[in-house]
Amino acid sequence: MQWQTLDSTPSLLPLYWRAALKRKITGSTLPERGCRCRVHVDPKAVAAYRRVCGFADSPMLPATYPHILAFGLQLQLLTDKAFPFPLLGLVHLNNRIRIHRPLGGVGDVSIGVYAHNLQPHAKGATFDIATVVEDALGLLWEAQSQMLCRGVKLEGQAPNNSVLAPGPLNELTRWKAPTDIGRRYARVSGDYNPIHLSAPTAKLFGFPQAIAHGLWNKARTLAALGEHLPAANIEIDVEFRKPVRLPSEVILRSSAAGSSGEWELKGVGDLQHMVGKWQPIA
């Protein structure tokens, strides 16, 4: 793995321009190169993120917040000339985060991102975006986001990935995903994907309405689970199923609090938007 070390987090606007210009698949192998830099945690930005995602005030960073710190680096990686797939049109299938130590008192951290694990899929190919966050004591937080790129032709059989199937669950709470949540989340995350912003921009990409960001759904769910979850030594997996169209109401059903558990996020007519589980890091 070769690392490109940046002096600061990349500016997003030029990267969005690069993303808009690249519409074709240009290869079928992933570059063995990652991006990394030091990032400062801004308390005001964290507070704005808490408000949008429903997290209570706490000395701990929200479990999903390192994704926000890493977003510019991920965009840099995925819009690089050497990256073979266009960013627009990628589908986020699942996400796993691991919190190794409590996310309290976090100031400056080192963040690295890279892509790996390219595999055939029935609809194209999948790959993982890996994100690693370290502080002065070492590994603090890490994540894997599995992405689908349609239309890629790879040799071999698509693997049978395990599917999360929650057991008996009870309704914990419900909330409304308002029409403007995609724009509000974009302002705190930097993720201005058109499918999330408005019905007209979503229709350009085949969606009848705007849909909520998958990572907003996950963050809002973890905010609602709150005290159910351990603060560290925890792995949190989700599979994104059907998108949450905006506006809509969703229902969170969960197992009891403990070191491990499961949940699902459902919509109207028993539509399953997301399933997830938490457990100690193996």
Side-chain angles (χ1 to χ4, degrees), residues 208-225:
Q209 296 160 258
I211 61 173
H213 292 74
L215 285 176
W216 179 79
N217 292 328
K218 182 173 183 177
R220 184 68 185 82
T221 296
L222 296 188
L225 287 169

Side-chain angles (χ1 to χ4, degrees), residues 7-244:
D7 293 333
S8 61
T9 305
S11 175
L12 297 183
L13 196 58
L15 300 180
Y16 273 118
W17 185 244
R18 282 200 330 215
L21 292 176
K22 181 169 183 175
R23 296 300 180 93
K24 293 183 178 178
I25 295 165
T26 57
S28 57
T29 58
L30 297 174
E32 293 187 9
R33 191 168 73 194
C35 303
R36 63 186 178 188
C37 74
R38 291 200 64 76
V39 177
H40 177 69
V41 178
D42 176 1
K44 289 183 180 177
V46 176
Y49 178 84
R50 286 187 194 281
R51 287 192 294 273
V52 170
C53 298
F55 286 99
D57 284 341
S58 167
M60 302 287 182
L61 282 185
T64 44
Y65 192 72
H67 277 300
I68 307 303
L69 298 176
F71 182 69
L73 284 173
Q74 292 170 353
L75 217 55
Q76 174 89 11
L77 180 81
L78 296 175
T79 59
D80 190 274
K81 287 180 181 176
F83 199 79
F85 310 137
L87 175 62
L88 291 176
L90 292 180
V91 181
H92 197 174
L93 298 181
N94 57 59
N95 174 265
R96 168 186 297 159
I97 64 177
R98 289 182 174 139
I99 305 171
H100 292 271
R101 288 179 284 113
L103 301 177
V106 180
D108 284 6
V109 291
S110 174
I111 299 181
V113 302
Y114 60 95
H116 69 129
N117 197 27
L118 184 64
Q119 295 184 334
H121 185 276
K123 295 180 180 178
T126 61
F127 65 94
D128 292 345
I129 303 171
T131 305
V132 179
V133 178
E134 297 177 312
D135 63 6
L137 298 176
L139 183 61
L140 181 64
W141 183 100
E142 59 183 327
Q144 298 271 0
S145 291
Q146 187 184 54
M147 313 299 290
L148 167 66
C149 183
R150 294 188 176 98
V152 181
K153 299 288 193 293
L154 292 181
E155 292 187 4
Q157 289 289 107
N160 288 324
N161 291 324
S162 61
V163 175
L164 296 176
L169 304 173
N170 297 312
E171 181 175 333
L172 181 67
T173 186
R174 55 180 67 199
W175 60 82
K176 287 184 168 60
T179 307
D180 68 344
I181 195 60
R183 296 188 293 276
R184 289 170 55 204
Y185 185 77
R187 284 195 288 271
V188 298
S189 69
D191 186 351
Y192 282 89
N193 187 323
I195 64 175
H196 304 304
L197 303 182
S198 69
T201 56
K203 283 174 183 172
L204 295 173
F205 294 86
F207 292 90
Q209 296 160 258
I211 61 173
H213 292 74
L215 285 176
W216 179 79
N217 292 328
K218 182 173 183 177
R220 184 68 185 82
T221 296
L222 296 188
L225 287 169
E227 300 302 316
H228 285 239
L229 304 179
N233 188 37
I234 181 175
E235 175 178 295
I236 307 169
D237 288 90
V238 300
E239 275 183 19
F240 302 112
R241 300 278 173 89
K242 299 293 184 183
V244 175

